[in-house]
Amino acid sequence: MQATLIGLTAILMWSLLALLTVATGRVPPFQLAAMTFALGACVGPLTWLFRGEGFRALRQPPVAWLVGVGGLFGYHALYFLSLRHAPPAEAGLVNYLWPLLIVLFSAFLPGERLMRHHVIGALLGLAGTVLLFAGRGVSGFEWRYAPGFLAAFIAAFVWATYSVLSRRLAHVPTDAVAGFCAATAVLAAVCHLLLETTIWPETTGQWLAVLALGIGPVGAAFYTWDVGMKRGDIRVIGAASYATPLVSTVFLILAGFAEATVTLGLAALLIGGGGLIAAKDMLFGKRG
């Protein structure tokens, strides 16, 4: 249960992603990814002063690096691509298929059993997310945005696959995530130099937002997610991940970037109820 709770903290940190990203100003996506992943790569080594395997944790087989870097960089590159070729709200909705995919993919893991309440909980979360995005003005899909939607779907598939495969690589220490973040930062920097014009943060507040992103949503969150995926209840964490866009919207409301609506309340009921149903074994114990 402790590992599951640790994994759930990643969801809370990712809920701050939108707010902090808005606060960074006009920094291009790949540049921002390079900056924040570089900071995220430093989060792990800081803990090596007190625990962990140190740089020995980076000595992993090629398959571990392929899964780690492919998951972190592959997901973010595809997500940024989807935002370039499709409306952000619609692309975000397609991308948020990944919690449901995690729940479904978990059935293929050794020793895991996908129960009906896990699927019901994930579907309720999906319904709540659809309602939440509908409340933001998602009107429908147009074929001219198909490349962006495809990129968003593949991004969801990549993240779900990375998360579930992390379970199969449970022998790889979480400290290795520092190396995966560093490699992702380098690849993002290359993409930035090839595709974007450099724009640095203009105010102290924007620099602090970049720092907060690197420490939290693009830093510590990947370490705690790794713990949850490897040693926690992957089905519960997957279903609970639908709370990310909901809590993110709440933070945006508190910061004055969005307004509270009835739709938000209904979405909260669906997502919260789905999470409770998916986690009933953890909360109330298994029967029989």
Side-chain angles (χ1 to χ4, degrees):
M1 183 174 179
Q2 182 180 10
T4 300
L5 294 176
I6 291 174
L8 291 175
T9 64
I11 297 172
L12 180 61
M13 286 184 274
W14 286 334
S15 298
L16 291 167
L17 183 63
L19 176 61
L20 292 175
T21 299
V22 170
T24 60
R26 299 184 301 115
V27 181
F30 279 112
Q31 180 187 346
L32 185 61
M35 295 168 68
T36 53
F37 270 101
L39 290 168
C42 298
V43 171
L46 287 176
T47 68
W48 297 351
L49 299 173
F50 311 99
R51 47 155 295 281
E53 300 184 31
F55 286 99
R56 290 177 298 174
L58 303 182
R59 299 174 185 172
Q60 300 300 327
V63 65
W65 283 91
L66 179 62
V67 171
V69 179
L72 295 182
F73 176 74
Y75 169 77
H76 288 86
L78 286 164
Y79 183 61
F80 292 152
L81 183 64
S82 73
L83 296 181
R84 285 176 178 266
H85 296 282
E90 284 89 337
L93 178 57
V94 173
N95 177 66
Y96 265 105
L97 287 171
W98 65 259
L100 177 61
L101 292 175
I102 287 178
V103 174
L104 297 178
F105 289 174
S106 68
F108 298 100
L109 290 171
E112 298 290 344
R113 185 181 178 188
L114 187 60
M115 305 295 290
R116 182 171 58 183
H117 61 275
H118 295 130
V119 177
I120 292 174
L123 289 175
L124 283 174
L126 177 60
T129 302
V130 171
L131 183 61
L132 179 64
F133 278 82
R136 295 181 184 176
V138 175
S139 57
F141 301 116
E142 299 181 30
W143 282 108
R144 64 192 175 107
Y145 298 132
F149 295 146
L150 179 61
F153 175 76
I154 297 175
F157 187 88
V158 167
W159 187 252
T161 301
Y162 160 74
S163 299
V164 175
L165 286 180
S166 294
R167 186 70 151 222
R168 300 298 299 268
L169 297 172
H171 60 282
V172 177
T174 295
D175 287 334
V177 173
F180 304 154
C181 286
T184 298
V186 172
L187 291 173
V190 171
C191 290
H192 165 64
L193 294 175
L194 292 175
L195 303 172
E196 300 174 336
T197 299
T198 300
I199 300 176
W200 295 107
E202 300 173 344
T203 66
T204 300
Q206 291 177 1
W207 278 106
L208 289 175
V210 171
L211 180 63
L213 272 175
I215 293 175
V218 192
F222 293 121
Y223 297 88
T224 59
W225 183 257
D226 189 74
V227 172
M229 289 296 101
K230 288 177 176 175
R231 298 193 289 275
D233 191 324
I234 192 171
R235 301 152 305 182
V236 170
I237 298 174
S241 296
Y242 277 116
T244 304
L246 174 66
V247 180
S248 176
T249 302
V250 171
F251 282 135
L252 289 171
I253 291 172
L254 293 176
F257 292 111
E259 296 182 2
T261 64
V262 174
T263 300
L264 177 64
L266 294 175
L269 289 175
L270 285 170
I271 294 173
L276 288 174
I277 291 173
K280 80 178 187 68
D281 289 341
M282 185 181 75
L283 296 173
F284 308 111
K286 297 180 179 180
R287 294 184 178 181

